[in-house]
Amino acid sequence: MGYRQKVSSYDVLVIGAGSSGCAIAARVSEDPNLQVALVEAGPDYERAQDTPDDLVNSHNNSYNDHDWGLVYEPTNGRKDRFPRGRVVGGSSAVNTTIALRGMPEDYDEWAAQGNPGWGWSDVLSGFKRLERDLDFPDTPYHGDSGPITIRRYPSAEMVKQQQAFLDSAEALGYPYCADANDPDGYGAGPHPMNKLGRLRISAAVGYLASARIRPNLDILADTLTRRLLIENGRCCGVEVENAAGEVQVIRAHLVVLSAGALMSPAILVRSGIGAKAQVESLGIESVADMPGVGENLSDHPALGVICEVNDASLIDFDQPIIQTILRYTAKDGKKRNDLQIEQISFAGRPGGAPMFMLAPVLEYQYGRGRLTFSSANPKQAPGIENRFCEDPRDASRLAECVRDTLEFTQGGALAEMIKAVTFPDLSRGVAQEDLEKLCRKFSGSGYHPCGTAKMGPVEDGMAVVDHKGRCHKVAQLVIADASIMPSVPRANTNLTCFMIGEQIGEWIRTNKSDYGL
């Protein structure tokens, strides 16, 4: 569709139609007196019948057709692709549809760092407001009428290796957990997922399907944001480029940057907002010296235990890629549910050796990476340096999780399916020291980047926004996406990004004066 401005100036302009951006646009446009625009670099599929299968089919991720084509450096000397959704719906339109919330302590830690309104008791309202939980609608910590439908696979719908994973977890002494979003829960059970059959309930489906009919909401797709326009310390709009390469300006009273933890910092830097020396080295005039832009990159380090199976008929690339999860606490006991193991139904390529994968994941990360910027060109992606497991606390706990994962391959229902463990090479040793070395060399991303424009009080020199998402040094600019998280929650960030959109969207709609409206 592309850029098609219908008014001379918008009240609220949201950049990025991902999980947070769609939620904000939907919530703010509930006020018919606010003219809202939602800008997205990728395409928009307005009708269900026009939506490509890779976006509909939640049994597997969409890897190529709606991707930014990013590359990252997970550990020193390694590079790999970093999938991110370039489409209305953002990464929620291409991901695995895991609908975990994180631990209450995650959000209490955010609040303790000078961010009132983000403790567990505060964000629970946003989580409840966004969800329609089909399995636990009557519990006090779930919602039953939100835009994002959530359910869990019952045992009758489990593929064989997923059920075997749960059986093995029970045999290994892990408790059964019927609801991984129970604030007090832990153990193994079905994943909460925002999908219905194959249908992925993305932000585009959940939030925009009903909102896009509103006359005060414009969705401007195929529209790349080049930079923010800053005049006298105030953000007054954006410079965009449409699919034909034409550069245009969209003006607004309030600009909400929701392009994600990788693209939001890049847009800030191109706009002169970031570390002064970094910005000026790219030939950009410094507008606001903010050294925290692009720093504090937080994510979930993970590994894959690859298993060749005895029975090739087990592996069907048309099966749901994931259905179950095990959450538990490392032996040091300092951070509850800081470890996670998932069963991945298939691995490798169709036609190759029949394989599945077990994924040990570190859910509470101490280490931090960063983004790097080498060009003012809006089509030049930032560098992504995760630096996984450089912090010894991360390496030791992920190594513990790998060792626990290997126990699933050594006995019980799942082990009976396994012909051989093809990675890691067990002959190289499975002692703690061996596994820590493995983690420092081979750990990769859970694809949950966040923290790169973190929120915090103005006294924190690395904080970019305050607790309401307002930029500390540029008026009328709000950032609202995974980049403002001070740290990654102990969960896939899908639901937390929806929640951020819910919270800030409602604040803008109901407290306009706080946002200069």
Side-chain angles (χ1 to χ4, degrees):
M1 179 179 295
Y3 168 57
R4 186 180 65 210
Q5 186 169 348
K6 299 176 183 176
V7 298
S8 60
S9 179
Y10 290 95
D11 295 300
V12 180
L13 174 62
V14 184
I15 301 170
S19 301
S20 300
C22 286
I24 291 168
R27 291 307 185 196
V28 174
S29 64
E30 288 176 354
D31 183 340
N33 296 313
L34 291 175
Q35 197 70 33
V36 181
L38 177 61
V39 174
E40 167 58 39
D44 181 25
Y45 301 99
E46 295 186 39
R47 303 187 306 169
Q49 59 265 42
D50 296 331
T51 304
D53 182 67
D54 65 303
L55 303 181
V56 174
N57 179 24
S58 63
H59 280 8
N60 200 352
N61 294 35
S62 171
Y63 299 100
N64 300 306
D65 291 349
H66 297 90
D67 186 63
W68 279 92
L70 303 177
V71 173
Y72 81 120
E73 188 175 335
T75 56
N76 187 34
R78 290 176 54 228
K79 289 190 176 182
D80 204 348
R81 63 193 303 265
F82 200 105
R84 295 280 91 187
R86 183 181 172 129
V87 63
V88 169
S91 291
S92 78
V94 302
N95 68 7
T96 320
T97 68
I98 291 170
L100 285 174
R101 288 176 168 180
M103 303 304 298
E105 298 95 314
D106 293 324
Y107 308 104
D108 289 339
E109 286 187 14
W110 292 6
Q113 293 177 38
N115 297 298
W118 292 95
W120 173 247
S121 62
D122 303 302
V123 303
L124 180 58
S125 61
F127 279 120
K128 291 173 66 176
R129 195 165 56 243
L130 72 88
E131 74 178 7
R132 177 174 175 250
D133 194 301
L134 299 182
D135 301 317
F136 300 97
D138 299 324
T139 58
Y141 45 83
H142 278 305
D144 65 354
S145 58
I148 303 300
T149 302
I150 295 171
R151 74 184 289 263
R152 298 148 188 82
Y153 281 97
S155 58
E157 296 179 25
M158 291 286 178
V159 302
K160 291 180 180 178
Q161 53 268 45
Q162 298 284 343
Q163 185 60 53
F165 175 77
L166 295 182
D167 294 341
S168 293
E170 181 181 12
L172 289 167
Y174 297 103
Y176 180 75
C177 181
D179 178 16
N181 281 332
D182 180 338
D184 299 317
Y186 71 101
H191 246 314
M193 306 187 80
N194 53 304
K195 61 187 295 188
L196 289 172
R198 286 184 181 271
L199 176 63
R200 179 184 282 110
I201 308 298
S202 69
V205 173
Y207 279 99
L208 295 186
S210 59
R212 64 170 67 243
I213 197 173
R214 297 172 189 156
N216 64 321
L217 174 62
D218 292 343
I219 299 174
L220 312 177
D222 296 311
T223 303
L224 176 70
T225 295
R226 294 168 58 87
R227 64 187 180 100
L228 308 174
L229 301 178
I230 314 296
E231 297 177 359
N232 300 317
R234 177 185 178 275
C235 186
C236 59
V238 298
E239 180 184 274
V240 300
E241 181 178 334
N242 66 17
E246 299 168 334
V247 177
Q248 298 160 315
V249 167
I250 308 175
R251 301 191 74 85
H253 297 296
L254 179 70
V255 174
V256 182
L257 184 55
S258 298
L262 306 179
M263 294 307 183
S264 284
I267 292 171
L268 291 172
V269 168
R270 293 200 299 269
S271 309
I273 304 167
K276 187 173 188 292
Q278 167 77 76
V279 167
E280 292 180 343
S281 73
L282 303 178
I284 302 168
E285 181 183 355
S286 177
V287 170
D289 185 12
M290 306 196 79
V293 173
E295 298 296 322
N296 191 52
L297 174 60
S298 188
D299 200 340
H300 290 136
L303 278 168
V305 175
I306 311 296
C307 305
E308 185 175 353
V309 301
N310 294 308
D311 181 2
S313 69
L314 280 174
I315 306 305
D316 180 356
F317 283 77
D318 198 38
Q319 294 171 330
I321 189 172
I322 192 168
Q323 295 178 307
T324 57
I325 183 174
L326 165 61
R327 299 179 310 142
Y328 67 109
T329 304
K331 287 185 172 60
D332 67 14
K334 292 180 180 177
K335 299 294 180 182
R336 187 166 64 103
N337 285 348
D338 58 344
L339 301 181
Q340 173 180 299
I341 303 173
E342 294 174 310
Q343 171 73 39
I344 310 300
S345 297
F346 47 81
R349 297 179 180 274
M355 298 185 293
F356 60 55
M357 182 171 74
L358 290 158
V361 187
L362 180 63
E363 291 293 292
Y364 189 97
Q365 186 198 30
Y366 288 99
R368 294 291 186 269
R370 65 169 186 162
L371 304 181
T372 61
F373 308 96
S374 59
S375 173
N377 184 346
K379 296 177 183 177
Q380 176 67 48
I384 309 164
E385 299 177 358
N386 285 95
R387 301 176 176 176
F388 287 140
C389 292
E390 289 185 9
D391 189 302
R393 295 169 294 181
D394 294 343
S396 64
R397 289 175 301 127
L398 183 55
E400 178 183 333
C401 193
V402 174
R403 187 171 61 251
D404 295 337
T405 302
L406 290 172
E407 289 186 352
F408 281 81
T409 72
Q410 295 163 2
L414 196 66
E416 292 174 2
M417 297 178 170
I418 297 172
K419 179 179 179 181
V421 174
T422 62
F423 183 87
D425 183 352
L426 303 182
S427 68
R428 293 180 178 269
V430 292
Q432 179 72 11
E433 181 180 350
D434 301 319
L435 295 179
E436 288 185 17
K437 182 178 179 181
L438 181 82
C439 293
R440 286 191 293 270
K441 185 174 182 181
F442 289 113
S443 54
S445 175
Y447 305 122
H448 305 139
C450 60
T452 49
K454 74 169 186 173
M455 62 178 164
V458 69
E459 294 80 18
D460 179 352
M462 298 301 286
V464 178
V465 300
D466 70 6
H467 65 284
K468 293 202 170 180
R470 299 170 298 196
C471 183
H472 282 307
K473 293 190 177 182
V474 178
Q476 296 309 104
L477 173 61
V478 168
I479 306 172
D481 56 27
S483 63
I484 72 169
M485 301 181 193
S487 57
V488 68
R490 276 161 271 188
N492 305 57
T493 49
N494 187 19
L495 239 58
T496 304
C497 288
F498 284 134
M499 179 274 290
I500 288 172
E502 281 281 349
Q503 296 293 84
I504 293 182
E506 282 293 277
W507 292 341
I508 294 172
R509 184 180 69 85
T510 60
N511 298 288
K512 298 181 187 65
S513 62
D514 287 349
Y515 294 91
L517 295 172

